[in-house]
Amino acid sequence: MSLYQFARGLFRLQFKLMGWKIKGIENLPAEGSVILAINHVSLWDPVVAACSVPRQVSYMAKEELFAVPFLGPILRGCGAFPVKRGQVDTSAIRQSLKVLKEQRVLGLFPEGTRSQTGELQKGLTGVAFLMDKGKAAVVPVKVSGTKHLLTKGWGKLKVVIGSPLTQEKMEIPVGVENRREWVTEQIMKALDSLT
């Protein structure tokens, strides 16, 4: 049993005891390259989202976390890889594309950082770039009840998985100047519409 499987089993048990609800699991493709586009309000979001789907999810995590004793090796053991925030990190991009080329699942937070208000922020175009280059389906995932999870999350923890968005399904309207911005907006609208 891998560290990922062990941690996933442990957290799934905790979340079930908390009254965790998952809706739309049938929307996750069983195979092929997939990007989970997840809203971000809490440090618990990647754990909750990964535990909600049957396939292993690889995440980018800010590189500072990998320097933390004990935490860094756990992150690597669970398939996470570092990203330098605030700049174009070609190493993280290459690693993301490798995950997708291997027909695996990449977890992304298109907002780039946690929302302090809980409202969905503007998405960054990196998600559209990886969708194009990785030839991946994007599955919007809305997580709620994770802010103050251990104290206020009981009975409120919920994950909604939306229908996959693919390049073939997204017809760019005539006159759109920035294709990636438009695609990112559609992904964020799909994410925001999940209930």
Side-chain angles (χ1 to χ4, degrees), residues 47-161:
V47 178
V48 171
C51 288
S52 301
V53 297
R55 297 176 64 186
Q56 181 166 341
V57 183
S58 294
Y59 287 104
M60 290 183 202
K62 59 182 181 180
E63 68 173 348
E64 296 85 358
L65 296 176
F66 290 85
V68 177
F70 188 67
L71 180 60
I74 289 174
L75 289 172
R76 286 189 196 281
C78 288
F81 54 94
V83 61
K84 294 177 180 137
R85 296 196 309 167
Q87 60 182 286
V88 176
D89 185 344
T90 54
S91 174
I93 292 168
R94 279 195 305 271
Q95 183 61 39
S96 297
L97 291 172
K98 180 176 184 284
V99 168
L100 297 173
K101 185 178 179 184
E102 292 171 354
Q103 305 289 295
R104 296 189 289 136
V105 179
L106 177 69
L108 285 184
F109 298 97
E111 296 164 278
T113 188
R114 282 175 286 157
S115 168
Q116 297 304 313
T117 63
E119 295 296 314
L120 197 63
Q121 304 169 96
K122 182 176 169 60
L124 304 175
T125 58
V127 65
F129 170 82
L130 291 171
M131 178 188 195
D132 288 344
K133 295 293 184 187
K135 297 177 176 49
V138 174
V139 176
V141 178
K142 185 179 267 186
V143 177
S144 56
T146 55
K147 195 155 186 157
H148 310 295
L149 177 74
L150 298 179
T151 55
K152 297 180 182 175
W154 295 82
K156 296 180 183 172
L157 187 57
K158 183 178 176 186
V159 177
V160 182
I161 300 164

